[in-house]
Amino acid sequence: MSDLSPYLAATPILDHGHPRVLALAAEARAAGAAGRDLLIAAHRLIAARVRPVYALDDEQPASRTLLRARGSCSQRLAVLEAVSRACGIPTRVRGLLVDGRFWHVRTDLGRFVARDVLFREHGQTVCRPVRAAVDPVMSRYAASAGKAN
């Protein structure tokens, strides 16, 4: 894989040129970390600032997740991917379907340049009208405690 530009590009979800994402990337780089250590620093910042909640809109831009200071595991991972790309570290995403048992893979959908492509090709598990109606309520519930915040 010689041309990494697709794995570094901004996407609607991985909006790494947004000031909020750039600020988090700068903070992760501030300690002089690079590569894996930079990603560990970024992960710690995200864990401290973005509360885990039940949310349904996996197409939400990383900058919006930072603004809301809460997000699903997929939304929080998108923030880490956006920071990674902002720091010149390429990313890709792997799509899996699970069968209802804890992380028991039913189908491997493959690897994708970005989650935007994965969702465009395979959709999300919940249709847009239901996400729009339910997400404002569900995204207030902490994933770890199960109560509204």
Side-chain angles (χ1 to χ4, degrees):
M1 182 180 348
S2 58
D3 180 19
L4 295 178
S5 60
Y7 302 94
L8 292 165
T11 70
I13 297 171
L14 306 177
D15 58 344
H16 66 67
H18 192 281
R20 281 189 286 275
V21 176
L22 291 173
L24 186 64
E27 194 171 345
R29 278 194 299 253
R36 183 174 187 267
D37 291 335
L38 184 143
L39 294 178
I40 290 169
H43 182 270
R44 288 183 178 143
L45 290 169
I46 294 163
R49 296 183 186 164
V50 182
R51 210 168 14 93
V53 297
Y54 295 108
L56 302 176
D57 187 6
D58 288 333
E59 295 173 339
Q60 176 173 285
S63 61
R64 179 149 172 80
T65 301
L66 288 171
L67 174 68
R68 295 175 81 187
R70 66 179 190 265
S72 68
C73 56
S74 179
Q75 292 166 340
R76 295 168 76 217
L77 188 54
V79 172
L80 183 60
E81 284 184 81
V83 168
S84 177
R85 288 182 179 206
C87 294
I89 301 170
T91 69
R92 65 180 177 180
V93 67
R94 183 174 180 184
L96 303 172
L97 292 178
V98 294
D99 73 357
R101 291 180 278 170
F102 186 72
W103 286 108
H104 183 266
V105 176
R106 182 177 70 197
T107 305
D108 185 344
L109 300 174
R111 289 178 171 79
F112 299 84
V113 158
R115 56 190 56 241
D116 306 64
V117 177
L118 169 64
F119 296 141
R120 189 169 45 251
E121 289 184 20
H122 296 282
Q124 287 191 218
T125 56
V126 180
C127 67
R128 188 174 300 280
V130 171
R131 285 195 324 258
V134 175
D135 191 63
V137 175
M138 290 302 296
S139 67
R140 300 261 178 209
Y141 283 84
S144 60
K147 48 186 179 174
N149 292 308

